[in-house]
Amino acid sequence: MSRLTAALKCALSLGLLTGLGATAFAQSMTHIPMATDGAAKLVAMTGQVSVLRDGEPWAMHVNDYVQPMQVIVTGDNGSGMFKVADGSTFEVFPNSKVYFRANRGNWDDLLELILGKIKVQIEHLGGVPNGNKVHTPTAVISVRGTTFDVEYDPDKEYTTVTDEDGSVEVARATRLNDKKILHANESIVVYKNEPLGKSGIDKGELAQRIVRSAMDALSQAAINSRMSTPASGSMGGSVATPPPTGAGDHDGSSTPGGAPPAPSAPPPPPPPSPAQ
């Protein structure tokens, strides 16, 4: 009987250990972040960068992930650099709103720019074409090259696409067969209801685009150290003194050209003394 009892205790102990092990394994699995499942990692940032969850902004930090179908929002001084699994990156500039992989059925639809500006750099692993696309309300940008900028103005309803390296295909969102190919240092503006042929490809603003890109990079690098400079002067400061209006103006009169006034006539001589 004692042997049977010991055997039962042994079996129960083994079962308990097995159950605890399975529970611990399951708990450990639930703590593994599904970060690589189509997500993008925040690798660098300045200022305020948030992701919307149930419509509310949640602050992001370096090494956090944004998941497919989430919206990235940046503040006045915020910018963030994100990297996806194939090494491609995209930078979200200040005052921007971007939908990340809004189309769950096709992750080649990488970004949907709702407001502001982004810079996208696409990697071609093994030389294989990377078919990512960027959408705005007025344009669809298909990746053929490496690096390009996209800026959307919702008030004026137009998209500006600038190709920095390689080539990209730009099409109207409302008419996909109306498209142009941009090469390095070319840009185009895509309006909501205007054919691409009217706007044309801009090749004459290369210097301006280069300066603007350089200024963007400098402003993002220094954005956290930016400090407000006190305004010159202050309230209660000295009041400017009006310039003199010329001699002899205390009574409100003056002579032309600021010349001194003519001397006054001498006083009359005194009356003669009375006769004695």
Side-chain angles (χ1 to χ4, degrees), residues 83-88 121-132 145-146:
K83 180 181 286 188
V84 295
D86 66 1
S88 299
Q121 181 172 346
I122 299 298
E123 295 294 330
H124 299 273
L125 298 178
V128 177
N130 195 331
N132 284 299
T146 304

Side-chain angles (χ1 to χ4, degrees), residues 119-144:
K119 179 189 293 289
V120 183
Q121 181 172 346
I122 299 298
E123 295 294 330
H124 299 273
L125 298 178
V128 177
N130 195 331
N132 284 299
K133 291 183 175 65
V134 174
H135 297 256
T136 76
T138 66
V140 178
I141 302 95
S142 301
V143 175
R144 293 191 174 193

Side-chain angles (χ1 to χ4, degrees), residues 45-108:
M45 64 173 289
T46 59
Q48 180 183 354
V49 180
S50 306
V51 63
L52 297 184
R53 296 177 181 173
D54 298 325
E56 296 294 328
W58 288 67
M60 298 192 71
H61 305 88
V62 172
N63 296 326
D64 284 350
Y65 287 85
V66 58
Q67 301 295 334
M69 303 187 72
Q70 287 187 328
V71 177
I72 303 165
V73 180
T74 57
D76 292 341
N77 65 341
S79 65
M81 175 79 74
F82 295 83
K83 180 181 286 188
V84 295
D86 66 1
S88 299
T89 61
F90 60 91
E91 183 175 0
V92 185
F93 286 86
N95 293 318
S96 297
K97 189 174 184 180
V98 184
Y99 209 150
F100 176 64
R101 284 182 165 159
N103 185 359
R104 185 176 290 275
N106 185 4
W107 281 351
D108 285 345

Side-chain angles (χ1 to χ4, degrees), residues 29-43:
M29 288 298 291
T30 59
H31 285 83
I32 296 176
M34 299 183 66
T36 59
D37 190 19
K41 183 178 181 180
L42 179 59
V43 295

